[in-house]
Amino acid sequence: MRFEGTAGYVATDDLKVAVNAAATLRRPLLIKGEPGTGKTVLAGEIARSFGAPLIEWNVKSTTKAQQGLYEYDAVSRLRDGQLGDARVRDISNYIRRGKMWEAFTSPALPVLLIDEIDKADIEFPNDLLTELDRMEFDVYETGERVIAAQRPIVIITSNNEKDLPDAFLRRCFFHYIKFPDRSTMEAIVAVHFPDITGQLVREALNIFYDIREVPGMKKKPSTSELLDWLKLLMHEDLPLDVLKSRDTKTLIPPLHGALLKNEQDVMLFEKLAFMSRRGGGQG
Amino acid sequence: MFLNFLTELRVAKIPASLKEHLTLLEALRADVIDFRVEQFYYLSRSCYVKDEGLLDRFDQVFGKVFKGIETIIDTGTAEIPEEWLRKVAELHLTEAEMADIQKLGSWDEIMATLKQRLEEQKGRHEGGNKWIGTGGTSPFGANGYNPEGVRIGQDAGRQGKAIKVWDKREFRNLDATVELGTRNIKVALRRLRRFARDGAADELDMDATVSGTAKKAYLDIVMRPERHNAVKVLLFLDVGGSMDPFIKLCEELFSAARSEFKHLEFFYFHNCPYEALWQDNRRRWTERTPTMDLLHKYPHDYKLIFVGDASMSPYEINYPGGSVEHWNEESGETWLRRMLDVYPAAVWLNPIPEASWGHGQSIQMMKTIMEDRMYPLTLGGLDGAMRELTRAR
C-alpha cells in the first residue's frame, strides 16, 4: 500500500514519503501550509488512492474533543423519561457516535480527516492524545470500551492559528506543504486541465507569480485561485495577446476577480497601474 | 543508529526526543522509504520537525551531519565518466601552490576550454593541474581548489540537481528567529490577538447548564470565560535612533491589533524613559506627559511593553543629568524602576539580534533592570514576551 499521488493530485516526493510513513506506521500525519495549497484535498486523494472510505471531521471553534468520540444526549432522555417512553431504560439509545468512533469501527480501513484542528479550543488536541495514540476509548455511560479493529489513517490539517501542544506533536508525522514552485505548478495545472495550451499556461503562470511577488498584498492568490482563473480564461477564450500585452499599461490581469479576492488588493493594483501609466507618460 | 544526528538536532535546539527517534527507526525498519538519501532526508524531517519555523535549522543540521554521505550513495549519471570524478584523498595545497593557481578567465572561456579538454582527454586523471578529474587544481572537476572552478558530476546526479534539497534552505524565511518583516507580520499579529483575548471574566454557559442539569437532575450552573478582550497595554517606543524602522514596524503591528485590546496607549521616549514622555512626535517638546501622572492615571493591571534598542551610554541610564537631550534630575534607572514597581507585568522588546546583546553594556544594564525580561523583536521573541506578560502573578 503506497501513496504515489493520484490522477487528480500532484504530490511532491517529500509529501509522498510523509504520507507513506504515516500510513505504514498508522500514526497521525499533521499537515500545515499556506491556505489553498491542497491540505484538505489531500485526505480525499489518499482515501481514493487506497480505495478507503473517507471520514471527515470538520473542527470549529465550538467543537469539543468528546464530540469526536460520542455524545450523550441527556436532554432528550430527560424528555423521554417525562413522556414515559420505554426507550429511556436503555441508556445506549441516547449515545450518539462521533467521527472517531465511526472510524474505529469502520469495516474497511478508513482515512480519518480532522480538518483545521487549530480552530478548536487550545485543549482540544490534548484531549485526544490517548485516543489517537492507542486508538481506543471508554464510554462511561454504558461501560463499553471501543477499540479500533484496525488503526485508521489519520490526517490532521492546521492553519497555524494556535500552537499545538508538544505531547500531541510528538505522536504525529509532520509535513509542511510549501507553495508549489513553477514546475510543480505546471504539473498541477496539467492534471486539472489536460487540454490547455502550453502557451496559455506559460503566460498565466508568469502573471500569477508576478502577482504573488507584489509587496503589500492582503491575500496572495494560491493554487486554488489559479485553477479557477485558468478555468475562466479557457471559458472566455481570450486571445493570448491580452495576457501578453500587460507590460505597463494594463497591470491588472484580465478577469482578475478570480485571483484577487480582496477589495484592497484590487485597489492596490489599480493604484500601481495608474502609477506606471503616469511613469510611462513621463519617461 | 543515527544517535549522533539526534544529538546534533538537540544541540541546535530542535526539540526532538527519543519518541521521535524511535518512530524514525520504526519507519526505517518498516521499509517506508527506499534507500536514497533524499528519501531519508524527507522521512527524518517528517519525524523530527513539527514546526515549520524549525525546518531551516533542520536543513542546516542535516547538511552538517550527513556531509559527504551523498557522494557514496549517489551513483551519478553525469556526462563525464564517473570514475574520473570519484572522490580521492583530501587535497593538501600549500599557500604557495594556491597562489600559483591562476584563474582561467570568464565563464565562457572556461566552458570552451572544458569542451576542448574533454575531446582531448582519454583516461582517468588525478591530481594534475590541467586534466579533468578529481582532487586536482584544474578548474574542471570536483573537490578541487580553484575559485572559478566548474562543478561536474557529484551533485549533478540522478535528478540533475546541482544543489542538494536540504542545501537549498527553502524554509529560511519561515524561521521563527528572523526579525519581523512583512511576511511574518500576519503571524505576529495573530499571536498578539491571542494574547489580547486572555484573562477575560466568566459568563453563564447556557447550553452546558441545560445539559448539565438534565444529566445530573439538579440545577447545575456552568460558567465559561467571556469572549471579551480584557488586556490593557501601555506601549513605550524609543524614537530618534538607528532602530526607527523597527520601532515603526512594531508600532504598526500593535496598531493593527488595537481593536483586540481593551486599552492600548502609545508613549514615546528617547533612549531611556525619564520624568516626561510624549504621545505625538511632532509636539514632543510642547505636549509632554509627566511620567508621574502616567503612573497615577493607569491602574497597575496595565501591561508595559517597551520597544527600543537599549543602546546608549551607560550614563544615560544610571546618572542624573545623563540624558543627551535635557537635564534630568533623576536617573533613567530610577524612573524605569518606578514604572516597574507600579506595573508588575512588563517586557522590553529589542530589535537588535539577541546574539549581539552581550556587546552592549547598556543593553546588559537594561536587561538587569528589567529582570531579564528582554526579548528580541522576532516571532519567537514576541511569543516569549507575550507569554511572560500573561503569566499569572
Side-chain angles (χ1 to χ4, degrees):
Chain A
M1 200 167 80
R2 282 191 103 74
F3 178 68
E4 298 288 349
T6 58
Y9 190 89
V10 177
T12 50
D13 278 352
D14 46 348
L15 178 61
K16 282 183 215 160
V17 169
V19 169
N20 284 325
T24 311
L25 302 190
R26 300 288 166 80
R27 300 258 164 83
L29 173 62
L30 174 64
I31 301 278
K32 281 197 204 174
E34 258 185 64
T37 40
K39 297 190 289 292
T40 308
V41 187
L42 174 68
E45 297 298 333
I46 294 173
R48 186 174 313 160
S49 120
F50 291 161
L54 174 69
I55 298 172
E56 274 182 79
W57 184 13
N58 294 303
V59 176
K60 291 183 286 183
S61 65
T62 50
T63 308
K64 295 271 175 301
Q66 185 66 32
Q67 292 170 345
L69 308 176
Y70 68 93
E71 279 182 290
Y72 167 44
D73 192 356
V75 177
S76 58
R77 187 169 183 228
L78 183 67
R79 192 197 54 218
D80 284 359
Q82 283 168 334
L83 297 175
D85 198 316
R87 273 169 22 107
V88 82
R89 303 258 165 236
D90 187 1
I91 201 164
S92 62
N93 284 329
Y94 302 94
I95 304 278
R96 276 198 240 132
R97 296 180 174 198
K99 297 287 183 192
M100 283 183 70
W101 190 334
E102 212 178 291
F104 286 1
T105 53
S106 163
L109 172 74
V111 174
L112 172 64
L113 167 68
I114 305 180
D115 204 12
E116 312 202 11
I117 195 167
D118 53 329
K119 288 265 186 303
D121 190 73
I122 193 117
E123 288 303 324
F124 180 89
N126 270 336
D127 294 346
L128 288 179
L129 275 187
T130 27
E131 284 76 9
L132 281 177
D133 210 20
R134 298 214 203 122
M135 302 277 181
E136 60 181 45
F137 62 90
D138 285 315
V139 185
Y140 300 106
E141 282 77 4
T142 57
E144 186 187 350
R145 163 160 283 219
V146 179
I147 300 172
Q150 40 188 341
R151 295 170 67 95
I153 299 168
V154 183
I155 309 293
I156 302 168
T157 71
S158 162
N159 274 324
N160 236 359
E161 286 188 13
K162 287 192 191 85
D163 284 340
L164 298 169
D166 282 348
F168 179 79
L169 291 175
R170 290 206 191 296
R171 288 165 169 80
C172 304
F173 283 100
F174 172 76
H175 183 74
Y176 181 83
I177 301 188
K178 60 173 186 287
F179 197 81
D181 56 15
R182 217 185 146 106
S183 56
T184 315
M185 193 57 103
E186 274 166 12
I188 294 173
V189 171
V191 153
H192 284 264
F193 307 107
D195 46 353
I196 198 167
T197 61
Q199 206 170 4
L200 177 63
V201 174
R202 233 176 354 259
E203 296 298 335
L205 281 185
N206 280 342
I207 296 182
F208 175 73
Y209 278 100
D210 281 354
I211 290 182
R212 278 183 59 85
E213 291 294 309
V214 171
M217 279 194 64
K218 295 266 180 227
K219 163 94 181 65
K220 282 186 186 172
S222 65
T223 316
S224 54
E225 271 105 26
L226 172 71
L227 294 177
D228 287 349
W229 185 52
L230 281 174
K231 199 187 274 174
L232 266 180
L233 287 178
M234 283 171 73
H235 183 75
E236 294 282 322
D237 220 5
L238 283 177
L240 266 175
D241 331 348
V242 181
L243 285 180
K244 270 192 202 160
S245 70
R246 59 193 188 90
D247 43 359
T248 51
K249 299 289 180 279
T250 50
L251 259 177
I252 310 177
L255 307 167
H256 62 266
L259 281 179
L260 307 172
K261 298 283 180 69
N262 189 308
E263 233 178 80
Q264 282 155 309
D265 285 345
V266 178
M267 297 232 308
L268 176 77
F269 270 80
E270 278 167 357
K271 246 185 249 167
L272 284 174
F274 175 70
M275 272 161 58
S276 83
R277 258 199 300 277
R278 223 176 35 174
Q282 282 163 357
Chain B
M1 211 152 80
F2 304 123
L3 269 180
N4 178 31
F5 186 29
L6 179 66
T7 322
E8 287 289 334
L9 286 172
R10 290 187 63 88
V11 168
K13 298 253 164 53
I14 293 175
S17 71
L18 199 60
K19 171 112 187 158
E20 278 97 348
H21 192 67
L22 292 175
T23 308
L24 174 67
L25 296 185
E26 199 184 325
L28 286 176
R29 181 169 299 173
D31 284 339
V32 171
I33 52 166
D34 37 348
F35 290 91
R36 293 216 312 256
V37 72
E38 284 100 15
Q39 299 258 311
F40 176 70
Y41 160 71
Y42 293 143
L43 179 66
S44 54
R45 191 178 76 190
S46 181
C47 285
Y48 287 129
V49 188
K50 304 296 165 66
D51 176 0
E52 67 274 21
L54 296 173
L55 284 173
D56 182 48
R57 216 179 297 169
F58 177 83
D59 286 358
Q60 292 177 54
V61 175
F62 191 93
K64 191 174 136 203
V65 173
F66 294 102
K67 196 172 182 174
I69 285 202
E70 77 280 8
T71 52
I72 302 165
I73 296 164
D74 205 339
T75 48
T77 48
E79 286 163 18
I80 297 168
E82 179 224 332
E83 50 177 332
W84 289 346
L85 297 165
R86 197 166 287 151
K87 205 174 166 185
V88 287
E90 287 293 309
L91 199 57
H92 298 290
L93 284 180
T94 64
E95 294 275 319
E97 280 173 316
M98 280 197 210
D100 281 346
I101 298 172
Q102 295 293 315
K103 294 181 187 175
L104 248 173
S106 75
W107 177 255
D108 288 342
E109 285 173 52
I110 294 183
M111 289 318 283
T113 324
L114 172 66
K115 213 170 170 184
Q116 197 189 333
R117 296 271 165 86
L118 271 176
E119 281 158 10
E120 290 172 15
Q121 192 162 355
K122 293 284 187 280
R124 184 184 160 85
H125 189 91
E126 264 180 34
N129 52 21
K130 184 180 175 196
W131 293 109
I132 298 170
T134 48
T137 54
S138 153
F140 310 112
N143 302 325
Y145 170 82
N146 186 301
E148 274 192 12
V150 188
R151 272 178 97 77
I152 308 167
Q154 267 206 332
D155 304 334
R158 191 180 302 104
Q159 296 175 336
K161 280 183 196 153
I163 310 172
K164 283 161 250 128
V165 217
W166 51 91
D167 278 346
K168 283 197 211 157
R169 302 198 37 203
E170 287 170 325
F171 302 100
R172 194 186 307 220
N173 59 1
L174 296 176
D175 197 325
T177 55
V178 298
E179 62 275 8
L180 289 178
T182 41
R183 197 210 69 83
N184 49 17
I185 200 161
K186 232 156 103 194
V187 188
L189 194 57
R190 218 175 276 148
R191 309 256 160 108
L192 277 184
R193 287 207 176 121
R194 194 165 66 213
F195 161 63
R197 289 240 171 86
D198 281 339
D202 282 354
E203 62 175 10
L204 178 68
D205 185 344
M206 202 57 182
D207 290 343
T209 305
V210 170
S211 70
T213 305
K215 211 176 269 183
K216 293 182 180 155
Y218 58 80
L219 195 59
D220 180 30
I221 293 184
V222 182
M223 302 296 280
R224 67 171 171 212
E226 197 181 354
R227 286 201 168 260
H228 179 257
N229 305 328
V231 174
K232 299 178 275 188
V233 170
L234 293 178
L235 191 61
F236 298 92
L237 301 159
D238 175 4
V239 287
S242 57
M243 290 293 144
D244 272 5
F246 291 103
I247 309 284
K248 185 97 181 78
L249 179 75
C250 211
E251 192 180 345
E252 283 167 2
L253 182 65
F254 276 87
S255 315
R258 182 170 219 147
S259 58
E260 308 284 333
F261 296 105
K262 195 169 181 193
H263 292 292
L264 173 66
E265 294 287 345
F266 289 86
F267 289 96
Y268 297 98
F269 62 95
H270 183 66
N271 279 357
C272 184
Y274 298 106
E275 67 281 350
L277 305 153
W278 58 96
Q279 284 191 287
D280 186 335
N281 272 318
R282 277 167 301 177
R283 291 190 285 268
R284 59 179 291 193
W285 296 111
T286 48
E287 287 174 25
R288 294 166 78 93
T289 313
T291 309
M292 211 40 127
D293 288 0
L294 183 140
L295 296 183
H296 293 146
K297 183 173 171 189
Y298 299 101
H300 65 89
D301 58 344
Y302 270 79
K303 296 173 193 299
L304 304 196
I305 301 175
F306 295 92
V307 186
D309 56 5
S311 299
M312 61 199 106
S313 131
Y315 298 110
E316 291 178 59
I317 300 177
N318 59 4
Y319 275 92
S323 165
V324 285
E325 291 192 323
H326 69 296
W327 179 262
N328 51 314
E329 290 294 335
E330 285 171 294
S331 71
E333 181 175 357
T334 316
W335 280 107
L336 200 56
R337 283 198 192 282
R338 242 173 230 156
M339 292 164 91
L340 294 179
D341 283 346
V342 177
Y343 306 103
V347 290
W348 188 294
L349 292 172
N350 197 332
I352 292 181
E354 197 171 357
S356 355
W357 288 0
H359 305 307
Q361 194 190 351
S362 61
I363 298 183
Q364 288 306 320
M365 288 166 66
M366 228 23 138
K367 204 167 163 224
T368 317
I369 299 175
M370 293 300 297
E371 288 157 1
D372 271 353
R373 289 172 294 180
M374 185 179 276
Y375 297 86
L377 195 53
T378 61
L379 271 189
L382 207 55
D383 249 5
M386 297 308 129
R387 206 170 297 131
E388 167 63 35
L389 284 180
T390 42
R391 208 160 51 103
R393 247 164 259 275

